[in-house]
Amino acid sequence: MSNPAPPALDRPTPENLRTARDKHRRSAADETLGPSARRHHEHAACGYDWALQAIDTDPDAVHRHMGYAAAYAEQARHHAVSSRRWTLVLPGPFCEWLTRDGRLPAAYTGNETDDRLLLAYRAGFDHRIGPEGGWTRTIPAYDTLAMWRLTTIATQFLDSCATGTGHSSADLRAAKALTDRLADLAHRQLAAAK
């Protein structure tokens, strides 16, 4: 069974939400998909179900739940097989900067690009490096829209580090490492698209 693309839900109706939810439930039960893809479909189905429950009472909640569902639906649709699993290692200083002051939303917003980045970030895991307390976060990098959003935010980090004021040497090293890693990811994605 192929992974369903979410229907266009500009103005959600109960019928459209049920259709989307049911498609993702069927995909979540499809044993030909891997466990991660099925889990993403389960989450998408839950998001559409929550939106359906709130459709008559809270339009803002419907919007947030649809963002959650769309982010998971996209992850399921683009879920890569293990041989093409791409990851990106984010330096700890960048992650601290990213999560400070709302650059990365704390919850799903209904903005598909931000929600997909939040989903990728939350799917990551931290690594501690050495006794000094350094760390990195490895995130899945196969969602090109999430990586595009991350790159635009990373550009802000790089620009702020370029000014030199208020940044430590660890921030500057993180900026250099992040630049190299994003360039490498873009190169790999471009090569795979050919």
Side-chain angles (χ1 to χ4, degrees), residues 150-172:
L150 180 67
T151 302
T152 60
I153 294 172
T155 301
Q156 297 168 10
F157 178 71
L158 301 174
D159 290 345
S160 72
C161 286
T163 64
T165 56
H167 289 284
S168 67
S169 60
D171 290 344
L172 299 175

Side-chain angles (χ1 to χ4, degrees), residues 19-175:
T19 299
R21 178 198 61 195
D22 294 344
K23 282 182 180 179
H24 286 287
R25 282 185 178 165
R26 282 192 301 276
S27 292
D30 183 357
E31 293 189 16
T32 64
L33 297 177
S36 294
R38 290 196 316 264
R39 186 175 60 252
H40 291 318
H41 282 296
E42 288 171 7
H43 282 286
C46 287
Y48 286 120
D49 196 38
W50 297 332
L52 184 60
Q53 293 170 19
I55 197 159
D56 293 325
T57 58
D58 189 352
D60 290 336
V62 171
H63 187 68
R64 281 192 313 276
H65 295 316
M66 286 176 52
Y68 174 91
Y72 273 104
E74 192 64 23
Q75 287 290 327
R77 193 165 75 83
H78 289 293
H79 198 274
V81 296
S82 60
S83 63
R84 287 220 5 216
R85 182 151 319 213
W86 291 338
T87 59
L88 180 63
V89 178
L90 303 175
F94 171 73
C95 294
E96 292 166 357
W97 179 87
L98 177 67
T99 57
R100 206 173 37 229
D101 301 327
R103 290 178 187 91
L104 181 71
Y108 295 99
T109 63
N111 176 308
E112 183 180 4
T113 305
D114 288 338
D115 289 346
R116 286 167 62 176
L117 175 57
L118 180 61
L119 180 62
Y121 188 83
R122 286 185 175 173
F125 50 93
D126 295 343
H127 304 276
R128 294 286 165 205
I129 304 169
E132 295 91 35
W135 64 284
T136 62
R137 183 172 188 87
T138 301
I139 65 170
Y142 50 83
D143 183 344
T144 54
L145 185 60
M147 293 304 101
W148 172 82
R149 179 67 179 128
L150 180 67
T151 302
T152 60
I153 294 172
T155 301
Q156 297 168 10
F157 178 71
L158 301 174
D159 290 345
S160 72
C161 286
T163 64
T165 56
H167 289 284
S168 67
S169 60
D171 290 344
L172 299 175
R173 286 191 307 273

